[in-house]
Amino acid sequence: MRRMSVKALLAALVAVVAATLPSPAAADDGSRLVAITDQRYDNHAAARIRLLDPDVADWGSAAAQRWTWHPTSNNGFGGLTGAWGLPTDVKLRKDRAGAYVAVVSDSRGLAALVTYPGGRRVWGVNAGAPSNPHSVELLPDGNVAVAASHGNFVRVYTASQGASSARYTQYTLADAHGVHWDPARRVLWALGKTELVALTVGGTAAAPTLTRSHAWALPTSGGHDLAPALEDDDVLWISTSSHVYRYSKSRDAAVATYPLATVKSVSSMPNGQQVRTAPKAGCRTGWCTDTVTFRGPDFTRTRPGAQIYKARVWSSRYR
């Protein structure tokens, strides 16, 4: 039997190890991973974005956590770490070159775009803690949309123009809580206190504009979360203070209604399984939980000690 060279043996070992590690592509399309915004109201520096595997029952174990991120000087966010501590949103997207990126927002002001899984800064600004950024989205031209509840605005920042580009255009929306780009209709959906609006993004990447093109009055007040139903490209998930709705774009109407109060995040996987969070008694704030609820099939996953605000299906896919 022929002996294997050291070089060939090392190459074989690397291949075996690589095959066992989750890749960005697998995280996006081949698995059912969920990202959480783990806030730490008692220790802002400990707040993290965590990517977790629902197939691992013990979310407190190292095996469950696939990726974690927070801004540091080492990953390019020197000068912006003070705008971090209460993460409110995270989404996996693809940039103009087709590379995976994560887009992040934080109540303390940070809006950021980072490489995935490297976690390096692509872009970042402090949108201002008083404005309370609640949701964030990457646009096809490389710019970033931010919804801020206290600021009552939806902004499009010119992230395409540089890592610190802070220029923006703004649309006023009362209690703005959610933004989602719709590639089929080429509009930016935005959720406010009493309405869902479709905004047309015009102008150029360096000088964008926002124009209201459509609006739907929410059946109940307190619009909170906005997310796509990955199993049906005609449907958006919407939560309010008292209900969760499945909104049909083509019918301009709610096609399903769930009497679920104070749901902070709701989304669904390509197989239709629902993923949501809601405040839990005993959590440090009135809006956090340590548990994510899954429906269809039904189960829960708990990360001990976590202060979860939102849970997001980790997918860049649009149908």
Side-chain angles (χ1 to χ4, degrees):
M1 184 168 65
R2 231 173 74 184
R3 278 181 152 188
M4 201 180 235
S5 70
V6 173
K7 185 175 180 181
L9 181 60
L10 286 172
L13 286 171
V14 167
V16 169
V17 171
T20 65
L21 293 175
S23 66
D28 179 40
D29 298 321
S31 66
R32 305 184 316 111
L33 303 183
V34 171
I36 61 169
T37 58
D38 187 2
Q39 301 183 346
R40 291 303 175 102
Y41 204 74
D42 52 335
N43 181 5
H44 290 159
R48 297 287 187 272
I49 299 299
R50 301 186 189 278
L51 185 60
L52 298 165
D53 186 349
D55 289 336
V56 179
D58 180 6
W59 268 18
S61 69
Q65 185 168 278
R66 297 295 195 88
W67 184 68
T68 184
W69 183 85
H70 68 292
T72 67
S73 295
N74 288 338
N75 60 26
F77 286 88
L80 285 175
T81 56
W84 173 261
L86 294 170
T88 51
D89 202 7
V90 60
K91 295 168 183 172
L92 180 68
R93 294 294 182 252
K94 286 184 178 179
D95 66 14
R96 289 170 290 176
Y100 288 105
V101 291
V103 60
V104 182
S105 63
D106 190 288
S107 278
R108 301 189 78 197
L110 184 69
L113 186 64
V114 304
T115 62
Y116 174 76
R120 298 289 305 174
R121 176 177 177 167
V122 177
W123 169 83
V125 299
N126 185 347
S131 66
N132 199 13
H134 251 76
S135 184
V136 67
E137 180 63 285
L138 178 65
L139 302 182
D141 61 5
N143 287 341
V144 172
V146 177
S149 59
H150 292 175
N152 299 306
F153 65 67
V154 174
R155 287 177 179 172
V156 170
Y157 281 92
T158 56
S160 62
Q161 304 303 299
S164 301
S165 181
R167 184 176 180 180
Y168 61 83
T169 188
Q170 180 170 309
Y171 173 82
T172 299
L173 180 63
D175 204 22
H177 263 76
V179 280
H180 168 65
W181 173 253
D182 187 331
R185 288 166 173 75
R186 305 289 298 177
V187 297
L188 179 68
W189 294 99
L191 183 68
K193 182 176 183 179
T194 61
E195 60 182 351
L196 172 72
V197 298
L199 303 174
T200 300
V201 182
T204 65
T209 61
L210 282 173
T211 306
R212 177 188 180 112
S213 60
H214 179 71
W216 179 64
L218 300 179
T220 55
S221 185
H224 197 279
D225 197 33
L226 173 68
L230 294 182
E231 76 282 5
D232 187 342
D233 63 340
D234 183 49
V235 172
L236 295 173
W237 286 103
I238 295 172
S239 74
T240 69
S241 297
S242 58
H243 288 76
V244 169
Y245 302 97
R246 284 174 64 88
Y247 167 78
S248 166
K249 305 171 200 174
S250 61
R251 295 169 62 178
D252 193 28
V255 291
T257 301
Y258 307 88
L260 298 168
T262 64
V263 168
K264 297 304 183 184
S265 69
V266 57
S267 56
S268 54
M269 297 189 178
N271 67 359
Q273 185 179 36
Q274 188 183 142
V275 182
R276 67 174 188 259
T277 61
K280 183 177 179 180
C283 200
R284 188 175 183 88
T285 65
W287 56 84
C288 75
T289 180
D290 61 0
T291 299
V292 176
T293 299
F294 296 79
R295 289 288 181 264
D298 296 359
F299 57 86
T300 60
R301 292 289 180 261
T302 298
R303 184 171 177 87
Q307 297 174 26
I308 303 168
Y309 183 53
K310 287 179 183 172
R312 288 281 185 237
V313 175
W314 197 239
S315 179
S316 69
R317 287 193 295 173
Y318 297 107
R319 291 170 63 87

